[in-house]
Amino acid sequence: MQKFLFLLLSLVLLGPLGIDLYLPAIPAIALGLNSTEAVIQSSISLFILVMGLGQLVAGPLVDKFGRRPIAIIGVVIYLAGAIVAATAVAPWMFLLSRVIQGLAVCCTSVVIFSGVRDRMSGNDAARAYGFLNGTLNIIPALAPLIGGLIAQYYGWRAPFWALAGYTLAVLLLVIFKLPETRPAGTQANTGLPFRQYARILFNARFITFALVNAGAMGMALTYVSLAPTVLMNIAGLTPLEFSLVFGANGFWIMGMSFIANRIIRKVGRPVCLKTGGILMFIGCLGLIAGITLVPPAEQTATWLYMLPVASACAGLAFLMGPATSYALEPFSSEAGVASALVGSVQMAGGALLGFIAMALPLQPKLSLALVMLAGGCLAMLARRASKKSTGRLTRLEN
């Protein structure tokens, strides 16, 4: 079973590596392609948007054709996207590479979590998901440092060639080692389950809590997209210094996630939702205070940006787990479809929120503050809904 999990781990890495590896090189990519940083930054939201929407298609395909064939197809597509990025000579080619790799990660993500569900249950499955999700938190802390070092010595195309090399190794592992895990009795849809998706999506409870995840993801994506501009162009950090600061925040999120998981058992999900919302608001107010109360000459200080970001990222750690569990609770008999829809709302909704914030004629810090405000408001609305839900459950038990 450990070999199986490490195979899935190799697939899990494709998602975060496709985003975080090239963050320190964004200014160099824009210069090399005669583009603007705003266009290159938008590629991150584009990647996540495609990944979110594509899961709705990948889910039925995995049930119909099997886990292993879709995994192989996904890795091959991902390899093609890495090569397109490494050889791009125009901005549209680079954006196309993000679309290609976003489509690929749709396939591998569904295969990963379907595979765990096929092979494990109960506590074993919970530990497996925890192991894989823990990896997703580690990569944002380390990938920018690795990508920054590669780009600094070999140019901005080198991280994508390195990614292509890693993907080729993963492809060989999948072809020769990944077993087919689809149960024999799996019921495959002949097409997309539009009615099922629509019924769940228009469930008030589901959409209330799924939008919390979208708000949290929107904050994270906006931060990731704008951080190179704020920290390198404005604050004057080198790519290596940027990677260290960005990585430190990644480890901070890991620590806060661990704390949130321990606290939720003691205080309950509504309190965690309220805590996450308050931390989002503190981050928003911190960014605004840094712009309005600090003299312009001192506004480039790195800590004026990273402390509010750290507060909002801590809020994210408190929000994601409770919101996801609340959203999925009414759908135990259709957890697979509901889980795919939660992921789609989270990724696509977060990407759209990030697109809107970055498209507004605001300076980067204000754009991020606006998304933090939206995330905090969504969390507080969900907290009210969670109290009502708890009250109804208590009445039923009595």
Side-chain angles (χ1 to χ4, degrees):
M1 192 59 68
Q2 287 184 343
K3 292 182 179 179
F4 178 65
L5 279 179
F6 277 103
L7 276 171
L8 297 184
L9 173 62
S10 69
L11 290 171
V12 166
L13 297 181
L14 295 177
L17 284 175
I19 300 172
D20 299 314
L21 196 65
Y22 72 96
L23 287 179
I26 283 180
I29 295 172
L31 184 63
L33 296 179
N34 194 27
S35 181
T36 64
E37 288 189 27
V39 170
I40 306 303
Q41 288 164 354
S42 69
S43 68
I44 299 171
S45 295
L46 183 63
F47 180 98
I48 296 297
L49 177 62
V50 173
M51 180 180 170
L53 295 177
Q55 289 186 49
L56 301 179
V57 178
L61 291 177
V62 165
D63 283 340
K64 183 175 182 179
F65 297 106
R67 305 347 181 187
R68 188 170 178 274
I70 299 302
I72 293 173
I73 292 171
V75 177
V76 170
I77 294 173
Y78 192 91
L79 177 60
I83 294 173
V84 171
T87 58
V89 294
W92 69 266
M93 286 185 66
F94 187 80
L95 294 178
L96 176 62
S97 75
R98 305 293 83 211
V99 172
I100 294 172
Q101 291 196 302
L103 290 172
V105 174
C106 296
C107 301
T108 57
S109 295
V110 175
V111 167
I112 291 161
F113 293 103
S114 297
V116 172
R117 189 173 66 246
D118 295 339
R119 285 289 186 90
M120 306 173 198
S121 61
N123 291 334
D124 288 338
R127 285 192 291 269
Y129 286 131
F131 171 71
L132 296 174
N133 284 321
T135 303
L136 289 176
N137 287 328
I138 293 172
I139 293 303
L142 298 179
L145 177 59
I146 297 171
L149 288 172
I150 295 173
Q152 181 174 346
Y153 290 104
Y154 301 104
W156 68 264
R157 298 180 188 273
F160 294 103
W161 285 119
L163 187 59
Y166 172 78
T167 308
L168 183 59
V170 172
L171 178 60
L172 294 175
L173 282 174
V174 171
I175 290 174
F176 293 107
K177 297 294 184 179
L178 184 68
E180 177 56 68
T181 63
R182 181 181 60 168
T186 300
Q187 296 182 357
N189 290 298
T190 57
L192 294 179
F194 288 113
R195 291 184 179 180
Q196 196 174 7
Y197 283 147
R199 176 172 51 79
I200 297 173
L201 187 62
F202 287 102
N203 179 284
R205 173 181 174 137
F206 175 87
I207 196 63
T208 296
F209 293 106
L211 285 176
V212 174
N213 282 351
M217 180 59 67
M219 184 283 298
L221 287 175
T222 306
Y223 157 63
V224 168
S225 300
L226 296 178
T229 296
V230 174
L231 295 177
M232 288 193 284
N233 291 359
I234 298 176
L237 299 186
T238 66
L240 179 58
E241 290 170 338
F242 166 81
S243 301
L244 293 172
V245 171
F246 193 89
N249 190 60
F251 284 112
W252 164 256
I253 297 174
M254 288 173 55
M256 292 307 300
S257 297
F258 175 79
I259 292 172
N261 287 336
R262 298 291 295 271
I263 289 178
I264 191 173
R265 300 175 183 175
K266 298 180 179 180
V267 303
R269 291 176 293 177
V271 175
C272 284
L273 288 172
K274 181 179 180 179
T275 302
I278 290 173
L279 289 169
M280 286 278 190
F281 288 142
I282 291 174
C284 173
L285 292 175
L287 286 175
I288 294 174
I291 295 171
T292 57
L293 301 180
V294 177
E298 300 177 14
Q299 289 183 11
T300 59
T302 301
W303 67 269
L304 278 176
Y305 183 67
M306 292 308 301
L307 284 182
V309 164
S311 177
C313 287
L316 181 150
F318 277 91
L319 292 176
M320 299 290 279
T324 302
S325 63
Y326 272 125
L328 295 178
E329 270 181 352
F331 307 103
S332 58
S333 62
E334 46 191 342
V337 173
S339 297
L341 199 55
V342 164
S344 182
V345 172
Q346 174 182 321
M347 297 294 184
L352 287 173
L353 188 59
F355 270 133
I356 293 170
M358 289 185 285
L360 294 174
L362 301 173
Q363 60 170 288
K365 290 184 180 180
L366 281 179
S367 295
L368 181 56
L370 182 63
V371 181
M372 290 178 180
L373 176 62
C377 290
L378 289 169
M380 289 306 181
L381 289 174
R383 189 247 179 181
R384 291 185 60 186
S386 70
K387 293 180 67 177
K388 293 179 182 178
S389 174
T390 303
R392 285 196 297 269
L393 181 60
T394 301
R395 288 195 297 272
L396 288 173
E397 291 175 345
N398 294 333

